[in-house]
Amino acid sequence: QDKVAKKSKQKKKKVVLDQKVIDARQIGGDDKDSTKDDDEEKELEKEFANWQSKVGMDATKINDSLNPLELYGLKIKESVDPYFSPYYFAERKKLEEATNTTIEIDLDEIERMKIEEEQRAFEDGDLLSTFPDPEALPRQRQLYSREKARLRAETIKRKLTGQNWITKIDELSKKPFYFNIDTGEAIWEKPNVLQMLEANEAARSGGWRILPLKLLVSIMECLVPFPDRNQCGATCRRWHEAATDISFVKHVWPVEMGALAMNDKKLGKNHFRTIADAISAAVPGDTIELGDGHYWVQYPGLVVDIPLRIIGDEVDPSHVVVELSGDILWKNCGWMEGVTIRRPRIATGIASKSDILRIESGGRLDLFHCIFDNHGSFGNTVSMIGNNSGGRWKKASISGGDKSKSGLLLDDNAFAEFTDCEIRDNAGVGVTCRGAA
């Protein structure tokens, strides 16, 4: 038995060794085959690279370099194989199924589902299963219309009184916000209707001095700027803020904004294309604002016979330039600030013997930081004629008076006060005072 067992172990050991030898040979053979395949692939890549460097990337040259067998294989790959691929057959099958499919509608099934849904609504109380008397239908319609009108009136009441807004707390930020129970709108800021109601309540308790600003502006709009609106503005700070609201200012577009100014829809309230249009629409005490740019005033010029304020750029008047043909005749009180008025080159020789600014008939014009340049005309640059005609001027520049005229002419009891002003570059006399001026 010992001998038999010993022989059996030796036999098994030999079988294991033989199997290991076979496996090693197979692995070695596979490695050799793999190395051989790699070498062949490298040779093919090298051959393809050489061929491509000779032929290039042009499609015509590539086709010419192929032999008939290669051309046939390329044609098979491009024209035949795509129509026998699994993807092609799968897409074609889907198309046939979609074409041949017919939708069958089971009307009985749909009707049965409707009955079940109505029955479920009856059980939930969403529908009323009744059989009303035809004679009672007009009465029911009347009740329905009355209830509908009542609900609509309550909605309008809540909108006007602000009762449709409630406050809630945001879960993330823990901050309060306003929620509209009728529309579902949610906002952070206090709604306008609540602000107006609070302002109205404050005005009732505090009197006229704390009336809502919007209401005060509407009241001031009905008043003439001077003297009515001006006097109301002296009542208190709130009324002064309303009397000087920016909506009362008249704006004139410069010529650089010509495309926008020609569109009536974009012109807006209290916006004008020319200074002449703004003066024609102005009432006593109005303010006309000129933005940065150029403004053309055609001959014979402008006439100001009402109290008026003209505002430009108080820092640099050269930003606001009025190209004037003719003159500006000022017959009333007023104020001008930050404007340059000069002669355009094309007007030279046309506006003969014209002053840029003439203050007459007791007119009083106070101004600050303005430039008057009359080069190109044959008149005085500025003339003040008449009893009490004149004004108080500060940081003004007067130039361009003709050699037979003056830069500044004061005549017939005119009175003017000048501070930090320049009168220079005049061909004739700088300042001429006549009579009791």
Side-chain angles (χ1 to χ4, degrees):
Q1 292 178 354
D2 293 338
K3 290 180 180 180
V4 172
K6 188 175 181 180
K7 289 181 179 181
S8 177
K9 288 180 180 179
Q10 291 177 352
K11 187 175 181 180
K12 289 180 179 181
K13 186 176 182 180
K14 183 178 180 182
V15 170
V16 172
L17 291 173
D18 293 341
Q19 186 65 36
K20 289 182 178 180
V21 171
I22 293 172
D23 292 341
R25 290 177 179 175
Q26 290 180 352
I27 292 173
D30 292 341
D31 291 341
K32 291 180 180 179
D33 294 340
S34 176
T35 304
K36 186 177 181 181
D37 292 341
D38 293 341
D39 294 339
E40 291 179 356
E41 187 174 354
K42 289 180 180 179
E43 289 292 334
L44 289 174
E45 290 179 355
K46 186 176 180 181
E47 182 181 354
F48 176 75
N50 293 332
W51 172 77
Q52 190 176 22
S53 62
K54 295 179 180 179
V55 176
M57 300 298 295
D58 185 55
T60 304
K61 293 183 178 180
I62 292 175
N63 288 332
D64 294 341
S65 65
L66 298 178
N67 57 44
L69 185 60
E70 290 172 342
L71 288 173
Y72 177 76
L74 180 62
K75 183 177 181 182
I76 292 294
K77 284 290 185 181
E78 291 179 346
S79 306
V80 179
D81 284 358
Y83 297 100
F84 290 92
S85 63
Y87 174 79
Y88 171 77
F89 286 111
E91 292 296 320
R92 185 172 180 180
K93 185 177 180 181
K94 290 181 182 179
L95 182 61
E96 291 177 355
E97 291 177 354
T99 305
N100 298 330
T101 301
T102 56
I103 302 175
E104 297 182 0
I105 301 175
D106 191 350
L107 298 179
D108 295 337
E109 180 65 19
I110 295 175
E111 191 67 25
R112 184 184 63 79
M113 293 173 64
K114 288 176 59 179
I115 294 174
E116 291 180 356
E117 185 176 356
E118 291 179 358
Q119 185 65 32
R120 187 162 49 252
F122 289 142
E123 295 175 355
D124 296 339
D126 296 336
L127 291 178
L128 297 178
S129 179
T130 58
F131 299 96
D133 187 1
E135 297 179 356
L137 287 177
R139 173 64 176 169
Q140 292 183 3
R141 291 194 189 98
Q142 185 179 3
L143 293 174
Y144 170 77
S145 300
R146 183 185 302 175
E147 181 66 15
K148 186 176 181 180
R150 185 185 67 82
L151 294 175
R152 186 185 297 111
E154 289 183 355
T155 301
I156 296 174
K157 180 181 178 181
R158 288 195 299 270
K159 182 179 180 180
L160 295 176
T161 60
Q163 295 179 357
N164 55 347
W165 290 99
I166 60 175
T167 56
K168 291 187 175 183
I169 303 298
D170 182 49
E171 296 182 356
L172 297 178
S173 62
K174 305 301 180 184
K175 294 181 179 179
F177 67 94
Y178 293 89
F179 178 77
N180 193 314
I181 59 176
D182 290 334
T183 63
E185 182 183 3
I187 57 176
W188 291 106
E189 298 79 10
K190 182 177 290 188
N192 293 332
V193 62
L194 296 182
Q195 295 180 15
M196 293 177 62
L197 291 172
E198 290 180 358
N200 185 35
E201 185 65 27
R204 290 178 182 274
S205 60
W208 295 98
R209 61 184 178 84
I210 53 176
L211 280 174
L213 183 61
K214 186 176 181 180
L215 176 60
L216 278 175
V217 171
S218 300
I219 295 174
M220 297 293 178
E221 192 174 5
C222 301
L223 303 177
V224 178
F226 183 83
D228 298 342
R229 193 186 296 165
N230 189 31
Q231 293 175 352
C232 289
T235 303
C236 61
R237 182 181 300 176
R238 187 77 165 178
W239 284 48
H240 176 75
E241 184 181 358
T244 58
D245 190 75
I246 190 65
S247 61
F248 297 138
V249 178
K250 289 177 168 51
H251 304 269
V252 182
W253 293 111
V255 295
E256 288 82 358
M257 302 290 289
L260 180 62
M262 294 306 295
N263 191 336
D264 292 334
K265 294 181 179 179
K266 295 182 179 181
L267 200 58
K269 180 183 178 182
N270 283 338
H271 286 74
F272 302 90
R273 296 186 179 93
T274 63
I275 299 177
D277 293 343
I279 293 178
S280 298
V283 294
D286 261 340
T287 299
I288 298 176
E289 183 180 57
L290 307 178
D292 291 358
H294 290 75
Y295 300 85
W296 292 87
V297 178
Q298 303 298 330
Y299 188 83
L302 303 172
V303 177
V304 180
D305 54 4
I306 59 174
L308 198 64
R309 299 171 72 239
I310 299 178
I311 306 297
D313 189 340
E314 66 276 7
V315 178
D316 189 352
S318 64
H319 292 169
V320 181
V321 179
V322 178
E323 307 284 359
L324 177 64
S325 299
D327 54 20
I328 299 175
L329 178 58
W330 204 285
K331 295 183 177 182
N332 212 307
C333 61
W335 171 264
M336 185 182 296
E337 179 179 356
V339 179
T340 296
I341 304 177
R342 70 185 186 187
R343 298 296 183 187
R345 293 181 179 178
I346 61 173
T348 302
I350 298 177
S352 61
K353 297 183 181 181
S354 294
D355 303 343
I356 279 189
L357 175 64
R358 289 191 295 128
I359 304 175
E360 297 180 355
S361 305
R364 301 289 297 178
L365 176 61
D366 297 335
L367 61 82
F368 173 78
H369 207 183
C370 293
I371 300 174
F372 299 93
D373 185 358
N374 200 32
H375 284 95
S377 184
F378 303 103
N380 302 297
T381 303
V382 177
S383 61
M384 302 177 183
I385 304 172
N387 190 25
N388 292 324
S389 297
R392 289 181 171 87
W393 291 22
K394 185 175 181 179
K395 296 183 67 175
S397 175
I398 301 174
S399 61
D402 186 57
K403 62 182 179 180
S404 60
K405 299 293 182 178
S406 303
L408 172 63
L409 171 64
L410 290 89
D411 195 4
D412 193 12
N413 294 322
F415 172 80
E417 180 180 325
F418 296 87
T419 305
D420 296 334
C421 295
E422 292 182 346
I423 302 176
R424 56 183 175 82
D425 297 335
N426 296 282
V429 180
V431 179
T432 298
C433 292
R434 295 175 183 170

